[in-house]
C-alpha cells in the first residue's frame, strides 16, 4: 500500500498543474470520392476527449498548440495531421480499406489494427456479436493461430500458437482477469464476451507491458464499464437468444447515459442451459464396457453477471470506477468418482453405480471485481498523459460433490498499472510500473496445489519512432517475481497405506526470480495499403505455483500432478526445489499485409525457441488411494496416471493467414488457416495436446436488410503426438448465419439465426484433456433478437 500511496501522491501533484486552452480547430472529413463521412472519430493525441463528425462530415475540436489530430472511421485508413492554434477549415481525406480498422487498446500507443507491428486480431461490432459463445475460447477459436482448450462448452480457454495456460494472458481493460483458469482446464475463465465492445488478440513487443510470461500472446477483453468519453444521451442494447443443442437461453442488456461530464454504465447477462447434445459416439466406462452416447453429461450452466461503472471526463482529467460480479454454476464433465469394485457383490456394484449417477459434480464460481481509473492529460509537455489503473478481484471456485463443497479454490488479486505516455524529440512512447499481488488458496480433497502468495513488481518501457515510411518500436521490461508458500512435507510411496496429516511438517518456501525481457520491431509501409512488419522478442518467465508446487489428485483431468519442485526417486516423491530455471523464449515474427482495394491479406510466419519449457510429462507411474505411487504395470484399474511438470528445450513454428476478396459490392470471400509445429529439441519428441492445423473459407453476402454468411472449417488429423497420447482424426464443420435488420423507428433491431455444425459432424478436440469423453456439440440452431437505441 505504501507504493500505491506514493504513486497517488505523485499523480495528485501533477493534477495541480494547469495549461491554457489555445484554440478551436474546425474541419471536414471526406472520402476519396469527395463525399462527407459521418461519425468519423477526431481525437487529439494525448487528450482524453474526442468528437464525431456530423452528417456533413464537419467537426470542431479544442486543441493546444502543436497538437496532432487522429481521424479514424471503420473501413477507412486512419489519418494523422499535425495542427497548431492557427489551423482552421481543415480538409481531411480518408481512403477506404478492404478490412475493418479498430484502435487496439492493448497497444498502449493508440495504434489501430493496421498500424501494429505485432500480429493482432480483433473481434468487434457485429462480427463479435455473431461469433460470441459462452466461453472465451470458443468465441476466438475461428481466428487464425487461435484454438481452444475445450473442457466442454462451459470451460474453454484460448490457445495461441500452441501455447495456453500462463503463457496466454487473459485481461479485462488491461488488467489481469485474476481467475483460476491457469490452475486447470476445468476452471472457466471469468471474462464474458457478451458485454465486450471488442476482444483483442496480440503477440510481440506490446506483451511486455502486461507480463513477460505472456510468450504466447495477450487476450484483452475491452468494455466500456468505465466510460472514457462523454455520453450525452441515454443509449442501450438488449438481446435474447435460444440454443437448441443445449436448450439454453441467454438474456443480455446494457444501458449508458451521461450529463455534463458525468457518465454511467450498466450491463448484465443471464444464461442457463442443460447438457449439450452430440452426434452418436462411443466411450468406455471404468469397467471397460463400451457405451453409446449422444450427449455429454454434466455440462449444464446457470450464470448471472452484473456490472456497473461511472466516470467523470473533463478536459484534462478522467476519473472513474467500476464494480462487477459473476455468479455461475456449471457442470464439470469427466469429473468422476472412482470406486474400487473388487470384491463387491452385484448389488453393491449397482448401488455404487446409482450413487455415481446421482452425484453430478459441478462448480460454483463467484467473483467480485473492482476497478479504478485516474487519467490526466497534460498539454504542451513532453509528458502527454499519466494513466493509473487499479484493480482488486476476489475470486472463488467451489466444486460441489453430493450437495456439499468438496474443494474450494480462492484467488484474491490486487493490481496496479501506472503508465506515463511521453514524447521526447522524435520518439513517442510509454514507460510504466506494474504491481501485482495474488493470494491463492485451495481447500479440500482436490487441493493439489498448496496456498501461495505471488508478488510481482515491474518496470517497462516501450518507444517508437518514424523514419519516413518505416516505424521502429523498442521495448524492455524488468520484473521482480516472488512466490511464497507452506509445503507439507510428506512423501508418496508404494508402501504407504494411510497418511496421518496431523503429523506432517510444514516447510516454509519462498523463491525470487528476476525476469528480463526485451523486444525490437519495425513496420514498413512500402506503398499505400501495403506493409511488411517484423519483430524479435526475448522473454523470461518464472513458474506459477501450480507448475512448481503441485502435489495431489486432480480428479477433473483424471491425473495425479507433481510440480517442478518434486524429485521422483523410485516410487517416492521428495520436495527438492533446487536448480529451478526460468523459461526463456526467443520469438521471431514476420508479417506481410495488404489492406486496400478489393483484395487483401495478412500472412504471419513465426518461430519460437524456448529454453526450459515447462510442461506436464507422463512419468509411467500411477497413483492409487491405498498404495500411493506405484508402477503402472499391474496397477489397479482405478489408479490414475502421474504427470509431473518438467522443463526441456522446445521449439514452435508455423504460419497463420487470412485473405479476402470483394467479388462484388454485395459479396466477399475469405480464406483463413493456420499451422503450428511444436516439438522438443534433440529429437525428444512432440509437445502434448498441440491443436490440429485448420483451413477454412467464408462467404458473406449482403442483400440490404438481410446479411448471409456461410463458413466451412476443416481441422486436419493430428498425428504429431507424444508417447502417451492418441492420434485425433480430422473433421469439417459448416456454420451458417442470417441476420435481418428490422425498421422499428428509433430502435435498431435485428433478428438472427445461426446454424452451427450443419452436417452434425462428430469432432474431437485434440487439445482437450477429456477429448474422448467430450466431443464438440452436434447441430445447433440459435435463434435470437437484439436491439439498440
Amino acid at each position: 500500500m505504501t507504493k500505491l500511496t506514493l504513486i497517488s501522491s505523485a499523480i495528485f501533484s501533477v493534477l495541480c498543474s494547469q495549461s491554457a486552452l489555445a484554440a478551436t480547430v474546425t474541419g471536414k472529413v471526406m472520402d476519396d470520392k469527395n463525399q462527407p463521412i459521418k461519425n468519423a472519430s477526431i481525437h487529439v493525441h494525448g487528450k482524453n476527449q474526442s468528437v464525431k463528425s456530423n452528417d456533413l462530415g464537419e467537426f470542431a475540436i479544442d486543441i493546444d498548440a502543436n497538437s496532432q489530430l487522429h481521424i479514424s472511421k471503420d473501413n477507412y485508413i486512419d489519418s494523422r495531421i499535425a495542427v497548431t492554434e492557427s489551423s482552421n477549415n481543415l480538409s481531411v481525406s480518408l481512403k477506404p480499406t478492404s478490412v475493418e480498422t479498430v484502435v487496439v487498446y492493448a497497444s498502449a500507443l493508440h495504434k489501430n489494427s493496421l498500424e501494429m507491428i505485432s500480429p493482432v486480431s480483433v473481434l468487434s461490432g457485429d462480427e463479435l456479436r455473431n461469433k460470441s459463445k459462452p466461453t472465451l475460447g470458443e468465441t476466438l477459436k475461428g481466428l487464425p493461430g487461435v484454438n481452444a482448450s475445450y473442457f466442454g462448452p462451459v470451460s474453454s480457454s484460448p490457445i495461441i500458437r500452441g501455447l495456453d495456460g500462463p503463457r496466454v494472458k487473459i485481461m479485462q481493460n488491461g488488467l489481469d482477469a485474476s481467475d483460476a483458469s491457469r490452475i486447470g482446464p476445468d476452471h472457466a475463465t471469468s471474462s464474458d464476451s457478451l458485454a465486450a465492445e471488442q476482444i483483442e488478440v496480440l503477440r510481440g513487443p506490446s506483451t511486455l507491458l502486461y507480463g513477460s510470461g505472456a510468450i504466447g500472446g495477450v487476450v484483452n477483453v475491452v468494455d466500456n464499464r468505465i466510460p472514457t468519453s462523454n455520453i450525452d444521451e441515454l443509449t442501450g442494447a438488449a438481446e435474447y437468444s435460444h440454443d437448441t443443442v443445449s436448450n439454453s437461453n441467454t438474456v443480455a442488456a446494457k444501458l449508458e447515459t451521461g450529463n455534463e461530464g458525468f457518465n454511467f454504465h450498466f450491463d448484465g447477462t443471464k444464461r442457463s442451459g442443460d447438457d449439450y447434445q452430440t452426434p452418436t459416439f462411443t466411450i468406455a466406462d471404468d469397467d471397460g464396457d463400451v457405451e453409446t452416447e449422444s450427449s455429454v453429461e454434466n455440462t449444464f450452466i446457470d450464470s448471472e453477471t452484473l456490472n456497473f461503472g461511472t466516470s467523470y471526463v473533463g478536459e484534462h482529467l478522467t476519473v472513474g470506477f467500476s464494480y462487477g460480479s459473476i455468479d455461475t454454476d456449471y457442470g464439470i464433465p469427466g469429473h468422476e468418482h472412482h470406486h474400487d469394485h473388487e470384491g463387491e457383490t452385484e448389488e453393491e456394484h449397482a448401488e455404487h453405480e446409482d450413487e455415481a449417477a446421482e452425484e453430478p459434480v459441478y462448480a460454483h464460481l463467484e467473483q467480485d471485481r473492482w476497478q479504478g481509473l485516474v487519467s490526466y492529460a497534460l498539454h504542451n509537455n513532453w509528458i502527454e498523459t499519466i494513466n493509473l489503473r487499479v484493480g482488486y478481484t476476489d475470486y472463488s471456485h467451489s466444486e460441489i460433490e453430493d450437495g456439499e463443497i468438496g474443494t474450494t479454490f480462492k484467488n484474491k488479486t490486487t493490481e496496479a498499472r501506472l503508465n506515463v505516455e511521453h514524447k521526447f524529440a522524435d520518439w513517442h512512447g510509454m514507460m510504466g510500473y506494474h504491481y501485482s499481488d495474488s493470494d491463492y488458496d485451495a481447500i479440500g480433497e482436490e487441493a493439489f496445489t498448496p496456498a501461495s502468495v505471488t508478488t510481482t513488481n515491474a518496470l517497462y518501457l516501450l518507444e517508437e519512432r518514424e523514419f519516413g515510411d518505416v516505424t521502429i518500436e523498442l521495448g524492455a521490461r524488468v520484473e521482480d517475481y516472488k512466490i511464497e508458500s507452506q509445503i507439507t512435507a510428506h512423501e508418496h510411496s508404494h508402501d504407504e497405506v494411510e497418511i496421518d496429516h496431523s503429523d506432517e511438517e510444514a516447510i516454509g518456501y519462498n523463491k525470487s526470480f528476476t525476469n528480463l525481457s526485451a523486444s525490437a520491431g519495425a513496420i514498413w509501409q512500402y506503398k499505400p495499403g501495403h506493409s511488411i512488419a517484423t519483430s524479435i522478442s526475448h522473454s523470461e518467465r518464472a513458474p506459477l505455483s501450480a507448475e512448481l508446487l503441485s502435489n495431489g489428485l486432480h480428479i477433473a483431468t483424471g491425473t495425479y500432478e507433481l510440480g517442478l519442485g518434486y524429485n521422483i526417486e523410485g516410487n517416492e516423491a521428495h520436495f527438492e526445489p533446487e536448480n529451478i530455471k526460468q523459461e526463456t523464449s526467443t520469438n521471431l515474427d514476420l508479417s506481410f499485409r495488404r489492406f486496400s482495394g478489393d483484395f487483401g491479406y495478412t500472412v504471419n510466419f513465426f518461430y519460437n525457441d524456448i529454453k526450459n519449457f515447462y510442461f506436464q510429462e507422463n512419468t509411467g507411474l500411477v497413483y492409487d488411494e491405498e498404495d500411493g505411487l506405484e508402477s503402472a504395470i499391474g496397477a489397479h484399474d482405478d489408479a490414475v496416471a502421474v504427470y509431473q511438470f518438467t522443463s526441456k528445450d522446445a521449439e514452435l513454428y508455423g504460419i497463420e493467414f487470412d485473405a479476402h476478396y470483394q467479388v462484388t459490392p454485395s459479396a466477399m470471400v475469405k480464406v483463413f488457416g493456420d499451422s503450428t509445429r511444436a516439438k522438443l529439441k534433440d529429437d525428444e519428441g512432440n509437445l502434448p495436446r498441440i491443436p490440429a492445423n485448420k483451413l477454412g473459407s467464408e462467404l458473406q453476402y449482403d442483400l440490404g436488410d438481410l446479411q448471409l454468411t456461410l463458413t466451412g472449417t476443416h481441422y486436419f488429423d493430428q498425428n504429431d503426438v507424444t508417447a502417451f497420447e492418441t492420434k485425433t482424426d480430422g473433421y469439417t464443420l459448416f456454420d451458417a448465419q442470417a441476420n435481418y435488420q428490422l425498421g422499428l423507428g428509433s430502435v435498431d433491431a435485428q433478428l438472427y439465426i445461426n446454424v452451427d455444425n450443419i452436417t452434425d459432424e462428430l469432432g474431437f478436440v485434440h487439445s482437450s484433456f477429456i477429448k474422448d469423453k467430450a466431443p464438440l456439440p452436434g447441430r445447433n440452431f440459435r435463434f435470437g433478437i437484439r436491439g439498440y437505441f
Side-chain angles (χ1 to χ4, degrees):
M1 292 303 295
T2 301
K3 294 175 182 175
L4 294 179
T5 302
L6 292 174
I7 292 171
S8 300
S9 299
I11 292 177
F12 181 76
S13 65
V14 173
L15 297 183
C16 295
S17 64
Q18 296 291 330
S19 297
L21 184 66
T24 299
V25 168
T26 61
K28 193 171 185 178
V29 184
M30 313 290 287
D31 63 16
D32 59 338
K33 298 179 181 178
N34 206 34
Q35 296 298 310
I37 298 178
K38 177 185 177 182
N39 287 331
S41 176
I42 298 91
H43 172 255
V44 179
H45 184 69
K47 291 180 63 175
N48 294 322
Q49 290 181 292
S50 62
V51 299
K52 299 284 188 179
S53 59
N54 62 20
D55 292 347
L56 300 177
E58 299 168 337
F59 67 89
I61 190 168
D62 297 329
I63 69 158
D64 295 290
N66 303 320
S67 297
Q68 184 188 72
L69 294 185
H70 179 197
I71 301 94
S72 60
K73 171 69 175 177
D74 291 353
N75 302 320
Y76 289 87
I77 300 175
D78 291 11
S79 178
R80 300 176 188 270
I81 300 175
V83 294
T84 67
E85 64 267 35
S86 61
S87 300
N88 218 337
N89 296 322
L90 297 175
S91 180
V92 181
S93 179
L94 298 184
K95 296 181 179 180
T97 176
S98 56
V99 295
E100 184 179 5
T101 62
V102 292
V103 173
V104 181
Y105 291 91
S107 70
L109 296 179
H110 317 292
K111 291 178 175 292
N112 67 41
S113 52
L114 303 181
E115 299 170 324
M116 292 284 292
I117 293 175
S118 306
V120 61
S121 300
V122 180
L123 280 181
S124 63
D126 289 338
E127 184 181 18
L128 172 58
R129 287 186 284 270
N130 291 333
K131 295 184 177 180
S132 179
K133 302 290 184 182
T135 62
L136 200 56
E138 293 302 291
T139 298
L140 300 176
K141 71 177 185 179
L143 297 176
V146 182
N147 289 275
S149 59
Y150 198 74
F151 208 88
V154 294
S155 180
S156 183
S157 299
I159 299 175
I160 300 177
R161 295 177 170 180
L163 300 175
D164 62 352
R167 300 181 184 91
V168 175
K169 189 84 164 180
I170 309 296
M171 303 189 307
Q172 182 190 27
N173 299 319
L175 295 179
D176 198 312
S178 302
D179 51 36
S181 61
R182 282 162 282 189
I183 299 298
D186 57 316
H187 295 198
T189 59
S190 58
S191 299
D192 195 323
S193 61
L194 281 175
E197 301 286 330
Q198 66 185 50
I199 302 177
E200 306 163 349
V201 180
L202 66 154
R203 310 89 166 168
S206 291
T207 63
L208 299 178
L209 301 177
Y210 303 106
S212 54
I215 63 175
V218 166
V219 176
N220 187 34
V221 179
V222 180
D223 55 49
N224 199 39
R225 291 171 188 173
I226 301 180
T228 54
S229 296
N230 281 322
I231 304 171
D232 298 323
E233 58 184 357
L234 176 66
T235 63
E239 180 175 0
Y240 167 79
S241 65
H242 175 78
D243 290 82
T244 60
V245 76
S246 59
N247 191 33
S248 64
N249 296 284
T250 302
V251 179
K254 180 177 73 172
L255 287 173
E256 292 183 334
T257 189
N259 184 43
E260 296 184 352
F262 291 93
N263 309 281
F264 304 92
H265 170 97
F266 163 84
D267 71 76
T269 62
K270 167 70 176 175
R271 180 189 295 118
S272 62
D274 302 327
D275 294 345
Y276 74 92
Q277 306 298 308
T278 69
T280 302
F281 69 103
T282 58
I283 186 172
D285 61 20
D286 292 337
D287 298 324
D289 298 328
V290 177
E291 299 179 355
T292 300
E293 302 286 352
S294 59
S295 66
V296 177
E297 296 182 357
N298 214 24
T299 54
F300 70 90
I301 187 171
D302 189 356
S303 176
E304 292 182 3
T305 68
L306 178 67
N307 305 280
F308 69 84
T310 184
S311 69
Y312 170 77
V313 179
E315 180 67 22
H316 294 267
L317 176 66
T318 296
V319 180
F321 75 92
S322 68
Y323 166 77
S325 69
I326 301 173
D327 192 325
T328 299
D329 292 332
Y330 66 90
I332 306 177
H335 203 306
E336 301 166 347
H337 294 269
H338 294 277
H339 297 286
D340 187 354
H341 300 298
E342 186 175 351
E344 289 184 346
T345 65
E346 290 186 5
E347 290 79 6
E348 291 172 332
H349 178 84
E351 181 180 351
H352 278 149
E353 291 297 319
D354 291 339
E355 289 177 355
E358 296 172 358
E359 299 172 359
V361 179
Y362 68 93
H364 179 64
L365 185 157
E366 290 182 312
Q367 178 176 282
D368 294 300
R369 183 178 177 90
W370 292 264
Q371 285 187 308
L373 168 67
V374 179
S375 181
Y376 190 78
L378 292 83
H379 299 174
N380 302 324
N381 292 278
W382 72 275
I383 296 179
E384 297 179 332
T385 306
I386 299 176
N387 183 289
L388 174 66
R389 281 191 179 271
V390 295
Y392 176 77
T393 304
D394 187 351
Y395 172 92
S396 175
H397 169 108
S398 297
E399 297 186 352
I400 314 299
E401 305 179 40
D402 305 333
E404 298 181 355
I405 296 177
T407 309
T408 296
F409 302 87
K410 297 181 178 180
N411 192 28
K412 296 181 179 180
T413 302
T414 303
E415 187 176 9
R417 184 183 303 280
L418 175 66
N419 290 332
V420 179
E421 187 176 352
H422 60 271
K423 187 172 181 64
F424 184 73
D426 293 326
W427 289 90
H428 174 224
M430 178 83 68
M431 56 185 175
Y433 166 73
H434 182 206
Y435 168 80
S436 176
D437 181 87
S438 176
D439 186 349
Y440 167 82
D441 195 7
I443 304 168
E445 65 180 27
E446 267 197 73
F448 56 92
T449 302
S452 62
V453 176
T454 304
T455 306
T456 62
N457 291 275
L459 296 173
Y460 51 85
L461 180 69
L462 184 66
E463 299 288 334
E464 69 171 7
R465 181 177 176 180
E466 295 182 0
F467 295 88
D469 295 329
V470 177
T471 300
I472 65 170
E473 185 176 276
L474 305 174
R477 179 185 178 99
V478 56
E479 178 181 274
D480 177 68
Y481 178 98
K482 184 178 181 180
I483 183 170
E484 299 175 279
S485 183
Q486 293 287 324
I487 307 301
T488 301
H490 68 265
E491 300 169 356
H492 293 296
S493 71
H494 64 290
D495 297 323
E496 188 174 13
V497 176
E498 184 175 347
I499 301 174
D500 183 3
H501 292 278
S502 63
D503 295 332
E504 293 173 352
E505 178 185 358
I507 301 173
Y509 175 78
N510 64 81
K511 178 70 174 177
S512 295
F513 299 86
T514 299
N515 299 319
L516 300 175
S517 303
S519 65
I523 184 169
W524 176 30
Q525 306 277 356
Y526 61 93
K527 67 178 183 178
H530 298 71
S531 66
I532 299 175
T534 184
S535 64
I536 184 170
S537 60
H538 171 86
S539 301
E540 295 177 351
R541 184 177 79 87
L544 294 184
S545 60
E547 296 170 316
L548 182 61
L549 307 175
S550 291
N551 182 6
L553 182 64
H554 193 176
I555 298 177
T557 59
T559 60
Y560 190 96
E561 298 187 4
L562 285 172
L564 287 162
Y566 286 86
N567 182 34
I568 298 177
E569 296 180 1
N571 289 353
E572 296 182 350
H574 306 269
F575 185 64
E576 299 174 356
E578 289 135 11
N579 301 319
I580 302 297
K581 298 180 180 179
Q582 291 148 292
E583 186 178 271
T584 304
S585 166
T586 302
N587 186 83
L588 176 66
D589 270 289
L590 179 62
S591 300
F592 299 88
R593 306 165 189 167
R594 171 176 171 160
F595 44 87
S596 65
D598 294 332
F599 176 64
Y601 57 79
T602 298
V603 182
N604 303 321
F605 297 92
F606 66 92
Y607 178 81
N608 202 346
D609 182 280
I610 307 177
K611 296 185 181 300
N612 305 314
F613 181 83
Y614 307 144
F615 69 102
Q616 286 181 300
E617 186 175 52
N618 193 312
T619 62
L621 299 175
V622 295
Y623 171 78
D624 184 85
E625 292 181 355
E626 293 185 359
D627 299 328
L629 302 184
E630 60 181 359
S631 172
I633 301 175
H636 292 169
D637 293 338
D638 289 339
V640 297
V642 177
Y643 279 77
Q644 182 176 24
F645 282 95
T646 186
S647 61
K648 296 181 180 179
D649 295 347
E651 59 180 354
L652 299 90
Y653 52 89
I655 181 176
E656 48 202 30
F657 65 91
D658 182 358
H660 59 272
Y661 178 64
Q662 192 76 44
V663 182
T664 69
S666 301
M668 175 182 285
V669 176
K670 293 184 177 181
V671 179
F672 58 90
D674 57 57
S675 175
T676 299
R677 185 73 176 94
K679 59 184 181 180
L680 297 171
K681 288 190 170 182
D682 301 323
D683 296 323
E684 291 201 41
N686 301 304
L687 289 177
R689 294 180 302 279
I690 298 301
N693 300 333
K694 68 173 180 276
L695 177 65
S697 181
E698 183 174 288
L699 172 63
Q700 299 177 357
Y701 201 82
D702 191 336
L703 295 172
D705 290 335
L706 178 65
Q707 296 87 42
L708 303 173
T709 302
L710 177 64
T711 306
T713 307
H714 178 70
Y715 292 84
F716 291 86
D717 296 345
Q718 180 55 286
N719 298 318
D720 297 324
V721 297
T722 65
F724 296 95
E725 281 187 294
T726 58
K727 298 179 180 179
T728 303
D729 293 335
Y731 54 92
T732 303
L733 301 179
F734 290 98
D735 305 319
Q737 299 174 354
N739 300 331
Y740 183 74
Q741 307 294 329
L742 298 174
L744 298 178
S746 60
V747 177
D748 179 13
Q750 184 181 90
L751 286 172
Y752 63 89
I753 178 173
N754 296 355
V755 187
D756 303 321
N757 194 3
I758 296 174
T759 59
D760 204 31
E761 177 89 349
L762 180 63
F764 295 92
V765 181
H766 184 77
S767 52
S768 173
F769 273 88
I770 55 171
K771 71 168 186 177
D772 295 325
K773 299 178 180 180
L776 290 169
R779 184 186 299 112
N780 175 48
F781 293 89
R782 183 183 185 190
F783 306 92
I785 183 171
R786 59 174 71 104
Y788 310 89
F789 62 90

